[in-house]
Amino acid sequence: MINAVIFDMDGVISDTQKLHAKVESTILAGFGIHLSPEEITMRYAGVRTREFLSDLLNAQEKPYDIEALLEEKWSIMEKLAGEEVEEIPGSVALINDLRERGVPLAVASASNLAYVRTVLQKLGVFEKFQAVVTGDMVQKGKPDPESFLLAAEKLGVAPSECLVIEDGISGMEAARRASMHCIGLVENLDKDYPTKNLVTSMKDISFSYIQTLSS
């Protein structure tokens, strides 16, 4: 039975994954690593910035300061979040409906807390969540299940009773490893994903649809 819902944020609640990828593409280009925002989204959506930047930059000889790069990224992201954030269509309506029905809600994001708070407040939904878990609160990012398990713990709900809504393959895999139900928000239904429950729009997810996944 599903008794709580855990949302990823970037790409699920907020249309901000493209902002992450744009900033990260620019940072990497400064080191001669040329990945388009689209490539970054495809390969690294949901993965903590620290982890994938370090993996890519370790492969080149130019020295770098990961802490300075992260500070640069989040400074830019928080500014953009205050100016450009839009919801993923259907996400805010779903959040409001679930809260009105008394469903416990959490956010588990690879982004940092200040940025997540800024985005959720901008969209008017920060107070709807009883728990917020961010990348700076865990030792291991997705696809490790730590963030989802911590969110379940904060909600006081067993992992098997939680539903995760994710757009990133790493996040879907993390939900699977956490033994949680999962809905994947995807563009292409013909590809293979770590969950069989797939939608192409947040508008396709409703309380009644969620209940069908409990069996």
Side-chain angles (χ1 to χ4, degrees):
M1 184 174 184
I2 294 173
N3 289 319
V5 179
I6 304 172
F7 288 77
D8 179 37
M9 188 183 78
D10 297 295
V12 170
I13 297 174
S14 56
D15 191 13
T16 43
Q17 175 56 41
K18 60 187 179 183
L19 299 182
H20 280 272
K22 181 179 178 180
V23 174
E24 291 157 356
S25 178
T26 299
I27 290 173
L28 288 169
F31 291 86
I33 299 173
H34 300 287
L35 289 175
S36 69
E38 292 74 21
E39 288 176 296
I40 289 174
T41 293
M42 183 181 303
R43 292 169 58 178
Y44 300 110
V47 178
R48 290 196 302 181
T49 309
R50 176 187 297 275
E51 293 171 359
F52 91 80
L53 282 186
S54 295
D55 285 345
L56 291 171
L57 294 174
N58 285 342
Q60 50 85 53
E61 296 181 356
K62 186 175 180 180
Y64 69 95
D65 182 340
I66 189 63
E67 300 303 332
L69 292 178
L70 291 174
E71 183 176 348
E72 176 187 357
K73 178 197 168 174
W74 291 119
S75 176
I76 297 170
M77 289 299 297
E78 285 182 47
K79 181 177 184 296
L80 292 175
E83 298 172 354
E84 299 183 26
V85 172
E86 297 180 358
E87 71 160 309
I88 295 293
S91 63
V92 171
L94 177 62
I95 291 165
N96 288 333
D97 180 60
L98 293 176
R99 283 306 299 131
E100 288 174 4
R101 295 175 183 273
V103 178
L105 303 179
V107 166
S109 172
S111 297
N112 72 9
L113 179 58
Y115 168 74
V116 169
R117 182 186 292 113
T118 297
V119 171
L120 295 179
Q121 287 177 336
K122 182 75 173 179
L123 295 177
V125 295
F126 182 73
E127 301 299 329
K128 305 291 184 180
F129 294 95
Q130 291 97 319
V132 174
V133 174
T134 55
D136 45 344
M137 296 179 182
V138 296
Q139 294 298 314
K140 297 180 180 179
K142 305 168 188 176
D144 190 274
E146 183 181 357
S147 60
F148 290 141
L149 293 173
L150 180 57
E153 180 182 335
K154 286 177 175 290
L155 290 175
V157 178
S160 62
E161 298 177 358
C162 293
L163 167 71
V164 169
I165 304 177
E166 262 284 358
D167 70 317
I169 291 176
S170 63
M172 296 177 207
E173 176 62 20
R176 187 191 67 79
R177 295 184 188 181
S179 298
M180 296 180 177
H181 302 269
C182 182
I183 296 174
L185 176 63
V186 302
E187 293 183 356
N188 185 354
L189 295 174
D190 295 328
K191 291 178 61 178
D192 290 329
Y193 296 94
T195 177
K196 68 181 188 305
N197 307 308
L198 303 172
V199 298
T200 56
S201 169
M202 287 296 288
K203 295 179 180 179
D204 294 334
I205 306 174
S206 63
F207 179 76
S208 59
Y209 172 64
I210 289 171
Q211 295 310 298
T212 67
L213 304 180
S214 295
S215 57

